Amino acid sequence: MRYSALIAVLVATAGFGYLTLGLPRYFGLFFIISAIFAVIGLRDLFQSNHALLRNYPLLAHFRWAIESIRPEIRQYLLESDTEAAPFSREQRSQVYQRAKNVNDADPFGTEQNVYAEGYEWLVHSIAAKQPSETPPRVRVGGPDCTQPYEASLLNISAMSFGSLSANAIQALNGGAARGGFAHDTGEGSISRHHKEFGGDLIWEIGSGYFGCRREDGGFDREQFVERAADDQVKMIELKLSQGAKPGHGGVLPGNKVTPEIAEARGIPVGQTCVSPAAHSAFSTPVEMMEFIADLREGAGGKPVGFKLCIGHGWQFMSLAKAMLKTGITPDFIVIDGAEGGTGAAPLELVDNVGTPLREGLVWAHNTLVGAGLREHIRLGASGKITSGFKMAANMALGADWCNSARGFMFAVGCVQSESCHTDRCPTGVATQNKWRQRAVVVPDKAERVYHFHKRTVAAMQEVVATVGLDHPGQLRPEHLCRRTSDREIQNADQVYRFLHTGALLNATGQGRYEQAWQMAQSGSFLPKR
């Protein structure tokens, strides 16, 4: 049976070859087709690279063909509505419906298992409020900031031009411009496509210093000052790490450095470019705070902050100690969860490196509160946020606003084919192929981005109103419930420990926070022993 397909095509080739001698007009084509399959089968039989092909010539090709469309078969035919891998059909459908501005009401009750461990909900109030008609905003800018920014509570998370297509970037920025929310550039810097519609930008600066980079790869302050002066740039975000691949640098092969990408990043066309795992502009927590102060001055007083996926808890605390020592504080910090990220990375990093958003957010919030620094520093949260409930839940745990990357990709047309790294994105969202990205019709997709943002923020306002609150900034851990077992329910302030203001400044206890605080030092990212 292993060789049945090969035997069949060999017999067919011989038969059609014989018939072709007498009736070439009728059997010549069949002979050619069967001969091609016979050659392939014989090659399979005698090649030495693939065991399956040697044992199952021809037949093994069908196995790989089916395997190549396994994600599509699973997603369209087998996957349940609530199976999140990484986003469920229910989550994606909600985004698509809101982006298209159609009815997203769900009939016949929830499909969630409300008795499953990990199920979460917000407690509603008998004295519910009427949702505000005006979308709430948050002011970002500490005491050293002279140009504070009134940010939306939902913004586009970091995705670079190069990772996303030109049309996708234009659609995102067009939606941001119409909806009055911010568009994070990603570490690929500001491209001409980010400027097409004039939407507010958060300029992300990674370890490659793209857009403000010297020839040797170091930070170029003059270039930074020039670009940061652009009125479209509202905030500067220093990227330390990202959820998809925390602690990992990157290499952009020279064949991917097109003239457009080279122009945006300030690198030579066709030359391989390396983003180191760590920054070269600073090497200690104190130096990092001084660098942030320099960026803020160079940006004319615009808000400057940083983004990271929490790793060693004491390293984040070393940044807080550096803030206390220097008197320099960032205007904002964005916590990226390990479950977040659009970038492709080794599976070990995707699955098993980095702190999930909830734990990272609570750690950052507690550190800033415990150090007496929380008042002037805003916290953003990023990681699988596509709904009003997810926004509200993260704000109950300490976030001031939320960012979404893949949610806005869905709004632009992403179908979760998980082919972002292949340059063969079926919808033209994550590719540089001109023929593929033409599928993204910018005016139409910009409208969808706008509607997804507007309706998701409105849904969040409705959720907050049911809790009996006027503003999402009033959400607290006790408003969020989680089922921790089939018989036990806890509020978030029971699941997590929350510190009081200044609790770490004279810490003497032996809890996780106190021990990590004692290990942290402002002059080094190494632990104090």
Side-chain angles (χ1 to χ4, degrees):
M1 293 300 293
R2 290 185 295 148
Y3 304 114
S4 58
L6 176 59
I7 292 170
V9 297
L10 288 174
V11 170
T13 301
F16 288 133
Y18 175 77
L19 293 172
T20 299
L21 296 176
L23 299 168
R25 180 178 178 183
Y26 298 100
F27 293 99
L29 178 62
F30 295 110
F31 170 74
I32 292 172
I33 293 173
S34 61
I36 290 173
F37 278 105
V39 170
I40 293 173
L42 290 171
R43 187 196 63 182
D44 293 344
L45 185 65
F46 293 106
Q47 58 80 41
S48 59
N49 294 325
H50 300 287
L52 276 178
L53 288 177
R54 284 175 71 87
N55 272 339
Y56 300 90
L58 287 179
L59 290 176
H61 290 286
F62 292 98
R63 182 256 191 191
W64 287 329
I66 294 172
E67 186 179 49
S68 70
I69 59 171
R70 179 178 177 274
E72 287 78 11
I73 293 174
R74 184 173 184 272
Q75 184 179 139
Y76 297 129
L77 301 177
L78 305 178
E79 184 182 85
S80 73
D81 286 346
T82 57
E83 186 179 353
F87 286 86
S88 69
R89 178 181 295 275
E90 184 179 67
Q91 291 170 320
R92 299 194 307 271
S93 296
Q94 184 184 59
V95 175
Y96 297 146
Q97 289 162 349
R98 287 178 174 170
K100 294 175 184 177
N101 201 28
V102 298
N103 185 6
D104 65 340
D106 201 27
F108 220 67
T110 180
E111 293 188 18
Q112 301 290 330
N113 181 358
V114 299
Y115 296 102
E117 183 177 337
Y119 176 74
E120 292 182 335
W121 67 95
L122 287 166
V123 291
H124 67 281
S125 171
I126 293 176
K129 298 292 186 71
Q130 188 69 22
S132 170
E133 295 183 1
T134 304
R137 304 186 77 86
V138 58
R139 171 165 288 201
V140 183
D144 297 321
C145 175
T146 58
Q147 297 189 56
Y149 177 59
E150 297 290 336
S152 169
L153 299 193
L154 179 63
N155 300 289
I156 301 171
S157 196
M159 294 179 285
S160 300
F161 168 58
S163 296
L164 298 191
S165 68
N167 287 17
I169 293 291
Q170 289 183 26
L172 290 171
N173 198 255
R178 182 174 175 192
F181 53 98
H183 179 188
D184 194 312
T185 65
E187 66 176 309
S189 192
I190 306 167
S191 71
R192 64 179 71 173
H193 307 294
H194 287 96
K195 299 178 68 64
E196 187 74 20
F197 293 95
D200 292 350
L201 294 178
I202 301 172
W203 180 14
E204 182 179 270
I205 299 175
S207 59
Y209 304 113
F210 297 126
C212 51
R213 174 187 175 98
R214 298 196 307 261
E215 288 187 10
D216 64 0
F219 174 69
D220 189 317
R221 192 178 191 278
E222 289 185 8
Q223 287 188 44
F224 169 76
V225 171
E226 181 180 350
R227 282 205 161 188
D230 191 324
D231 288 339
Q232 204 175 333
V233 175
K234 301 301 181 184
M235 301 200 296
I236 311 295
E237 179 181 272
L238 186 67
K239 175 197 158 186
L240 302 184
S241 59
Q242 66 184 88
K245 45 184 176 182
H248 190 273
V251 178
L252 186 64
N255 62 346
K256 292 188 176 181
V257 183
T258 65
E260 282 185 318
I261 290 176
E263 176 189 51
R265 301 193 179 202
I267 56 179
V269 177
Q271 182 173 314
T272 296
C273 183
V274 176
S275 295
H279 280 264
S280 60
F282 55 86
S283 59
T284 69
V286 165
E287 288 178 0
M288 179 176 155
M289 291 307 117
E290 292 170 345
F291 185 59
I292 285 175
D294 187 50
L295 290 178
R296 188 159 45 215
E297 181 184 358
K302 292 179 180 179
V304 176
F306 62 89
K307 178 184 87 172
L308 82 167
C309 178
I310 296 289
H312 293 298
W314 46 265
Q315 283 189 333
F316 185 83
M317 287 183 168
S318 71
L319 297 175
K321 283 193 172 181
M323 296 175 203
L324 293 172
K325 182 174 182 178
T326 62
I328 301 168
T329 56
D331 298 293
F332 66 93
I333 300 171
V334 174
I335 303 301
D336 205 12
E339 69 272 39
T342 57
L347 192 62
E348 290 85 354
L349 293 178
V350 172
D351 285 349
N352 302 112
V353 177
T355 304
L357 174 58
R358 295 287 179 84
E359 284 70 23
L361 176 61
V362 170
W363 187 272
H365 175 72
N366 270 331
T367 297
L368 297 177
V369 170
L373 295 165
R374 184 68 176 87
E375 181 182 359
H376 298 298
I377 301 175
R378 299 288 181 242
L379 274 179
S382 177
K384 292 191 75 172
I385 299 172
T386 58
S387 70
F389 167 73
K390 290 289 188 181
M391 289 180 65
N394 283 298
M395 296 175 86
L397 295 175
D400 293 299
W401 85 84
C402 297
N403 293 336
S404 177
R406 287 171 290 184
F408 282 103
M409 285 179 68
F410 291 143
V412 172
C414 169
V415 293
Q416 194 172 275
S417 69
E418 299 185 56
S419 56
C420 311
H421 60 302
T422 66
D423 204 36
R424 296 193 298 272
C425 172
T427 58
V429 175
T431 178
Q432 295 306 301
N433 183 293
K434 297 292 185 183
W435 285 100
R436 286 181 177 271
Q437 65 178 280
R438 66 182 291 275
V440 179
V441 180
V442 174
D444 175 64
K445 302 305 183 184
E447 279 292 297
R448 294 192 181 193
V449 169
Y450 162 73
H451 286 300
F452 166 64
H453 173 272
K454 179 181 178 181
R455 294 185 60 174
T456 302
V457 172
M460 181 270 297
Q461 290 176 264
E462 287 187 7
V463 169
V464 171
T466 65
V467 180
L469 304 176
D470 297 308
H471 191 279
Q474 298 171 319
L475 285 165
R476 294 294 179 265
E478 57 266 26
H479 295 129
L480 179 64
C481 288
R482 178 186 294 179
R483 184 177 290 283
T484 54
S485 73
D486 60 347
R487 301 179 187 178
E488 187 174 10
I489 296 169
Q490 291 184 322
N491 292 337
D493 57 351
Q494 297 171 305
V495 176
Y496 301 104
R497 178 187 171 196
F498 285 88
L499 303 185
H500 298 293
T501 301
L504 291 174
L505 298 179
N506 297 299
T508 57
Q510 295 303 308
R512 289 181 63 221
Y513 288 98
E514 290 80 4
Q515 289 181 343
W517 184 257
Q518 291 163 12
M519 293 171 63
Q521 51 183 335
S522 62
S524 174
F525 286 113
L526 297 175
K528 186 190 299 182
R529 298 297 186 185

